[in-house]
Amino acid sequence: MGSVDNCTLDCNYAVARHPIYQVDGGVFGYELLYRSVGGPNAAIIPSDAEATLAVLADGIQAISRDIDPKKKIFINFSRDILEKGYHGFLDRERFVIEVLEHVTCDAAFTGLVRSIREAGFVLALDDYVGDASFDPILPYVSFVKIDFLALRDDPPRLRAVIDACLAAGKTVLAEKVEAEGDIALCREKGIPLAQGFFYSRPQVVTAKVLQPNQAVKLGLLAEVTRPEIDEKKIRDILGADVSLAYKLLRHVNSASFSRGQPVESLDYAIKLLGRDALASWVAVNLLASLGSTPRDRELAFASAVRARFLALLDAARGSVCHKGQTICLMGLLSLLDAMLGVPMEKALAGVTIDAGMRRALLGQPSPSRPCLALCRGYEGSPDPRAAQVLAAFGVSHETASRSHFEALSWASDMFRGSGR
């Protein structure tokens, strides 16, 4: 790990940490900010959602060992990512969820914020300038980050916003403080925390982050795709890839789950994290590693729809044929050649799958091959074999249509916020 100035060619991830200070004391915590490797000390990002996913998936791993576990860590969250529940794996005692200043605080979002607070998470409101549109969520926010820079030319309003937040019992954090006068005002008003260039600029930290191989990512996605997640299978998949296993153990050991005791077992790490938080962690790491182009995301989306569709049909038949995971994986792998830009035979070269599935994916005779025809039949490309497959499977057209619609809905929810 190093600073941006001494990054080597091996560095493949960058994150900025911006200290938050006690006005007359030491460091209270840090805000993690997305940065690009080799880029300037500023965020160059395609979307808020993608920035949050990148910080969640790799940023915490990149800096967690270098930050005192007693210090708070603030992370910006877009509405999409909060709706997906990808904050679920975070340690409630250590992390603070920052609500971005441009979200729309309608009834649905207010209810979401309330539920997140009731689940034990701590929330902060970012870049606040007294906008009344945020009034519905203020009761659920512990920290209010007041934008001193935005209000610098309107001192009466700045003071009024400070007074209102303090009167409401909020912990006020003066944000974007750049001059001694800002700090004097903090002391005068009793503001406990401050952040800005007066103290320091964000420090860009670079690191070499291990990335999981394509086959393992697809295997994990297959498990998340299943109607019921099998934690044992997730453990086995994680155990087959050192990068993912390493990231999970780093996450659990950097949080308070271990209560000071090092966690070295994947079984124990999964048990400590819990099923819902585990699913959240897996989804974050998968979405953060999706391709960056619209074509990549569309192919990933179509693959997920196929996997879910086939799994639901298999469940409707009582899992008499494929046992869920196998058929999920075939759906996911069915577009792997297009995703990697190579012939299917080459794409499958490093993937361990059973012989029947491999033959089906290569277009050779196999009991599994009709499933691919069934997928194509429900993707807008009519395939006369689809009706024959349904008849052979003993599944009605109505059941198949309902399953495909459910698969589309599920994949849309899963990929919301990925930039698709």
Side-chain angles (χ1 to χ4, degrees):
M1 182 163 324
S3 69
V4 70
D5 294 328
N6 62 12
C7 178
T8 69
L9 293 177
D10 290 333
C11 295
N12 65 352
Y13 185 79
V15 64
R17 58 185 188 192
H18 199 186
I20 297 169
Y21 290 88
Q22 298 170 346
V23 170
D24 286 312
V27 174
F28 172 79
Y30 296 87
E31 179 180 3
L32 297 191
L33 302 166
Y34 176 87
R35 293 293 186 266
S36 57
V37 175
N41 190 358
I44 303 175
I45 55 178
S47 72
D48 290 332
E50 288 176 302
T52 301
L53 285 170
V55 170
L56 288 174
D58 292 319
I60 295 172
Q61 173 191 336
I63 56 83
S64 58
R65 283 185 179 175
D66 297 328
I67 293 181
D68 184 334
K70 296 180 181 179
K71 305 298 183 185
K72 295 289 188 183
I73 297 178
F74 290 63
I75 298 178
N76 294 321
F77 276 80
S78 68
R79 176 171 180 159
D80 287 342
I81 299 302
L82 288 175
E83 288 175 336
K84 290 302 300 173
Y86 292 153
H87 58 282
F89 71 91
L90 295 176
D91 172 17
R92 291 161 173 78
E93 298 294 324
R94 190 180 191 194
F95 290 89
V96 178
I97 294 172
E98 282 198 34
V99 178
L100 293 173
E101 69 278 7
H102 49 68
V103 299
T104 301
C105 293
D106 53 24
F109 186 69
T110 300
L112 173 64
V113 170
R114 181 177 63 250
S115 67
I116 292 172
R117 181 68 189 93
E118 290 173 348
F121 291 95
V122 178
L123 294 114
L125 180 56
D126 193 28
D127 289 340
Y128 184 62
V129 293
D131 189 338
S133 66
F134 290 98
D135 288 353
I137 68 170
L138 278 176
Y140 313 111
V141 170
S142 300
F143 295 89
V144 177
K145 302 181 73 174
I146 297 179
D147 191 337
F148 269 45
L149 183 61
L151 296 175
R152 178 160 298 148
D153 295 332
D154 192 349
R157 184 181 178 189
L158 173 58
R159 289 174 175 270
V161 171
I162 293 170
D163 290 341
C165 291
L166 291 173
K170 305 302 175 185
T171 299
V172 173
L173 192 162
E175 190 173 35
K176 301 175 186 174
V177 296
E178 297 184 355
E180 179 62 43
D182 296 332
I183 303 304
L185 179 59
C186 289
R187 294 191 184 104
E188 174 192 337
K189 289 293 187 179
I191 295 174
L193 303 173
Q195 178 186 31
F197 292 169
F198 176 83
Y199 290 104
S200 66
R201 292 178 178 271
Q203 177 190 6
V204 177
V205 178
T206 57
K208 174 65 175 179
V209 176
L210 296 174
Q211 297 296 342
N213 66 59
Q214 188 77 1
V216 173
K217 285 189 290 185
L218 290 167
L220 272 175
L221 187 55
E223 284 305 312
V224 176
T225 303
R226 296 183 65 183
E228 295 295 331
I229 293 177
D230 187 328
E231 292 182 10
K232 180 181 181 301
K233 287 184 177 177
I234 288 183
R235 179 204 65 198
D236 293 341
I237 295 171
L238 287 168
D241 188 276
V242 64
S243 64
L244 279 176
Y246 172 76
K247 288 176 73 172
L248 180 62
L249 290 173
R250 279 288 302 272
H251 167 63
V252 173
N253 279 294
S254 67
S256 65
F257 302 109
S258 59
R259 306 302 178 190
Q261 298 296 320
V263 178
E264 300 175 351
S265 161
L266 280 178
D267 281 330
Y268 191 39
I270 292 169
K271 180 180 178 181
L272 285 174
L273 200 55
R275 181 187 182 281
D276 292 341
L278 175 64
S280 173
W281 182 86
V282 169
V284 163
N285 280 277
L286 287 170
L287 285 177
S289 62
L290 288 176
S292 58
T293 69
R295 177 179 177 275
D296 292 333
R297 290 190 285 271
E298 286 300 328
L299 288 170
F301 177 81
S303 298
V305 172
R306 286 186 173 191
R308 184 71 168 182
F309 176 51
L310 293 177
L312 290 171
L313 285 184
D314 197 46
R317 301 177 64 208
S319 298
V320 297
C321 179
H322 299 289
K323 304 297 183 184
Q325 193 224 8
T326 301
I327 197 65
C328 279
L329 190 55
M330 189 174 76
L332 289 165
L333 293 173
S334 63
L335 296 172
L336 187 59
D337 53 344
M339 293 171 72
L340 299 181
V342 299
M344 182 62 82
E345 185 173 4
K346 184 175 181 179
L348 295 176
V351 182
T352 301
I353 53 177
D354 67 62
M357 185 191 304
R358 185 178 297 275
R359 287 195 298 271
L361 291 169
L362 293 174
Q364 300 168 0
S366 166
S368 300
R369 187 176 177 184
C371 295
L372 298 179
L374 189 57
C375 289
R376 289 189 288 269
Y378 281 85
E379 290 174 344
S381 302
D383 192 321
R385 291 171 293 179
Q388 300 172 10
V389 174
L390 287 179
F393 283 1
V395 176
S396 68
H397 173 68
E398 290 74 17
T399 297
S401 296
R402 184 170 59 251
S403 297
H404 192 255
F405 179 81
E406 184 177 337
L408 284 168
S409 178
W410 176 89
S412 295
D413 285 342
M414 179 180 176
F415 281 72
R416 187 186 300 140
S418 69
R420 177 184 169 271

